Amino acid sequence: MVLIVEFEAARPQLTAMAFRLLGSIHDAEDAVQSTWIKASTAEAEELRNPAAWLTTVLTRVCLDQLRMRNRRREEPLLADMVPAEALAADERYLTRENVSRALMVVLDLLTPSQRVAYVLHDLFDVPFREVAQTLDTSPGNAKKHASRARKRIEQPEPASTTAMTVDSAVVDAFLAAAAGGDIDRMVALMTDDCARVVDTALIPPDTPTLVTGARTVAEETKLFADRIRASTSMLVNGRAMHVIAPGGHILAVIDITTRDGRIARIDVTRASMHSELVLPSAMS
């Protein structure tokens, strides 16, 4: 059996791997615990390389869960459908471990085999021969799964122009001010007639869906600073936008329009996992 000291040494990486495979710290910790139960009863001859063995067992536990979700045709849960306690736990883990918020969003779009191949090989440097054993396939097929995943989640940056660079800088500065609740800075970055439009499903009752005027928009935006802090840059249907994804679970898309170097309009729409969501190459 695996000695507990060996298992505890491997636990942080096993948890990190399981979180990226399952998208939930609760599910990840359950998978790690299941791995320990299997390890504690394994025969000695199975454990010539305990670290590799633990990785294989953990991944198979996670793969079973992913395939079960797939058989049930379960859609990835949007953030507002995840229990508040679970969402908070995922956010704490994602923030503490500096996990890419955008990556967690797009990992949910992969097939189980693609997700396993990409996470194991591209994120944790597991050789394809070991990935293939976990997936019960050939190394060549494991490489194909990883390649398809890579193409699905990565995309080159759009051709840049000076105007795009200026707009991007303004948008980033505005969102940084919004995340910090800096009303004066937000106002300075908006046109006087700036408008904010939001889906009713994303705001409390009696909150207007349309707000106009720079200061009014800034004051209203400050109320949602926690959501802004949980946003990340992504390409949505081929356009550079920001996605709100607390704990790595997508909630909404922020589409910001600029005019003459200032924010002119902010559209906040409920996210859809059917949108084309990818990482610019610089973020992958």
Side-chain angles (χ1 to χ4, degrees), residues 234-251:
M234 295 188 71
L235 292 179
V236 182
N237 297 329
R239 294 186 56 213
M241 298 188 195
H242 284 73
V243 169
I244 300 173
H249 305 277
I250 190 169
L251 173 66

Side-chain angles (χ1 to χ4, degrees), residues 58-266:
L58 173 85
T59 306
R60 286 175 176 165
V61 170
C62 294
L63 184 59
D64 286 344
Q65 287 199 41
L66 291 171
R67 285 173 171 166
M68 188 178 300
R69 293 177 190 174
N70 199 51
R71 284 195 296 273
R72 292 174 179 169
R73 298 180 180 178
E74 292 181 2
E75 293 272 326
L77 292 179
L78 298 179
D80 55 355
M81 299 172 65
V82 178
E85 184 177 335
L87 189 67
D90 291 345
E91 178 64 20
R92 285 194 298 272
Y93 184 82
L94 183 149
T95 303
R96 184 179 73 244
E97 300 298 321
N98 196 29
V99 180
S100 167
R101 198 178 298 276
L103 180 61
M104 293 307 300
V105 170
V106 293
L107 286 176
D108 260 347
L109 305 177
L110 304 178
T111 68
S113 295
Q114 289 171 358
R115 188 164 186 166
V116 165
Y118 182 86
V119 169
L120 262 62
H121 181 267
D122 285 42
L123 302 185
F124 290 92
D125 297 319
V126 176
F128 275 121
R129 65 178 181 279
E130 294 178 24
V131 177
Q133 290 173 359
T134 301
L135 292 174
D136 193 23
T137 190
S138 68
N141 280 338
K143 290 180 181 179
K144 288 179 182 178
H145 286 308
S147 176
R148 287 168 184 156
R150 225 172 279 125
K151 290 177 182 178
R152 177 65 187 82
I153 69 178
E154 299 172 4
Q155 182 166 309
E157 291 277 11
S160 61
T161 65
T162 302
M164 288 176 61
T165 302
V166 170
D167 286 352
S168 176
V170 170
V171 170
D172 289 346
F174 174 81
L175 291 175
D182 187 340
I183 290 179
D184 290 339
R185 178 62 175 154
M186 282 189 276
V187 170
L189 291 165
M190 287 186 279
T191 61
D192 293 340
D193 61 347
C194 181
R196 188 277 291 142
V197 182
V198 63
D199 280 356
T200 55
L202 296 171
I203 51 178
D206 301 324
T207 301
T209 57
L210 171 64
V211 175
T212 58
R215 183 156 294 275
T216 304
V217 171
E219 290 172 348
E220 195 266 350
T221 300
K222 183 179 178 180
L223 301 176
F224 300 97
D226 58 334
R227 292 188 177 183
I228 300 297
R229 288 192 290 270
S231 67
T232 183
S233 300
M234 295 188 71
L235 292 179
V236 182
N237 297 329
R239 294 186 56 213
M241 298 188 195
H242 284 73
V243 169
I244 300 173
H249 305 277
I250 190 169
L251 173 66
V253 175
I254 307 172
D255 186 5
I256 298 179
T257 303
T258 61
R259 184 175 71 239
D260 298 328
R262 290 189 176 186
I263 307 297
R265 183 182 172 97
I266 305 167

Side-chain angles (χ1 to χ4, degrees), residues 19-42:
F19 181 75
R20 288 160 178 80
L21 287 170
L22 299 175
S24 158
I25 189 58
H26 176 76
D27 289 348
E29 289 173 344
D30 281 352
V32 171
Q33 185 61 27
S34 295
T35 300
W36 167 245
I37 292 171
K38 293 177 184 294
S40 65
T41 58

